[in-house]
Amino acid sequence: MFLLLTSACQPSCPMMARSFRVCDSPLLTGFLLRQIWARAARRSTEHAGRSYSTKPARLPRMEYQDAVCTLNTLQTNANYLELVKRERGQPQMQLEAMRLFLQRTGLRVEDLDQLNIIHVTGTKGKGSTCAFSEHILRNCGLRTGFYSSPHLVQVRERIRINGQPISKELFTKYFWQVYNRLDETKDAHYGSMPAYFRFLTILAFHVFLQEKVDLALIEVGIGGAYDCTNIIKKPWVCGVSSLGVDHTSILGDTIEKIAWQKGGIFKPGVPAFTVKQPENPMKVLAERAQEIGCHLQVCPDLEQYESDKQHLQLGLAGGHQRSNATLALQLCRSWLQRWGRHEAFLSLPKTELLSSHWPALAPAFQPSPAMVTGLRDTKWHGRSQTIRNGPISYFVDGAHTTRSMLACVRWFREAVAEQERTAEGPVVRVLLFNATGERDSAALLKLLVPCQFDFAVFCPNIPETVSSSNAGELQRQISGDG
């Protein structure tokens, strides 16, 4: 029996790597011909004295893979991080640029208010918190939108409706609508096009508005204050998951500086919740909330929602998911109360005491049946996930900070111990490890020593051509559908 821990420092190892597909020659040739044709058609229109149209250009039929190849020309994740670093001296320019890109696609920032947004930031757990929240609210009969990053196999995983990645057909349709509007207007804006993540954020807003979701869960990309998702003016509720030290060249080299960035998503008069944080970053969050005029509350421990008759089960493995679950419960209750659902929440007595310097403790309550089943049935692939394939068990996680790696080790050792008790014959433990960017791989690897691996395989960051059919098969394996 083989046990493999695939540890990926975001974006991740082979199964979790950003799908940067390199076009082969015929596909690239076709793509370039279409671009030349589009440019010629646009020039002809300009000469006829017509202003640019917000309608998509009439091009030859575009396939999903054409859209992916074009998207990848808008920069890789590494290039985007470098762009953010260069703009760090003028952070407000990032948000102003994002607003201008949004306007060029035919949307105003005020249009985003229609999405009834839940905005979530944090160093670790923000994606899991959104996944819990999405499943709960979908269980309440709501049509949900969910924007997250990074993706595991295919880019359309980042934009979900009712828990499912949008189809290739929908992705292709909306991609070309948004891309063509930006391309039509770039000559008047010094040839500027949004970078990869900015483009996908704009695309997600378009999809959710066009598909008329009841609400959108928006996961912050990096930081908060100057993240491109923070053009949102009026979210319904904001959340902050566990804080740690990451992206220091962009967010700052201390957890207090990082907390200041994360608190930047708070909005005047908008309720916000945070999980318990270390003393100093919690103080920074409280000060940010007070400055902005936001009512910030601290989530109680998950056991405060439980009783002798009701023990909450989580669909995501690992003890660290309990703080994500309590944050999700508070976000959902706050959102549902504004939506008009008041009857389902019986407040429970407070039994916790917080530091006098902390914000107020949010009340625990009796979760509704939709909340209980939502927490239990949530799936979020690539996070503390076990995939079994014959005699091989893959343990997949995207830990990339000290705290998240320690949580990964605890989960892995518990999960492996349970499997090894029933294994027939000898067991071999193999580590598949990948790290990207500025992370200290040696320091992270030291944390994995207690896992007692027999072998280790280190995966380089090399883009490869991945066919659509192979990507689909990998998607099914990760989802457990294959």
Side-chain angles (χ1 to χ4, degrees), residues 349-375:
K350 293 183 180 181
T351 60
E352 290 185 80
L353 294 176
L354 298 181
S355 167
S356 59
H357 303 294
W358 283 23
L361 181 70
F365 55 89
Q366 183 175 325
S368 67
M371 290 178 165
V372 173
T373 57
L375 292 177

Side-chain angles (χ1 to χ4, degrees), residues 392-406:
I392 302 176
S393 293
Y394 296 89
F395 298 84
V396 186
D397 194 64
H400 57 277
T401 67
T402 298
R403 289 183 65 187
S404 61
M405 189 65 83
L406 289 171

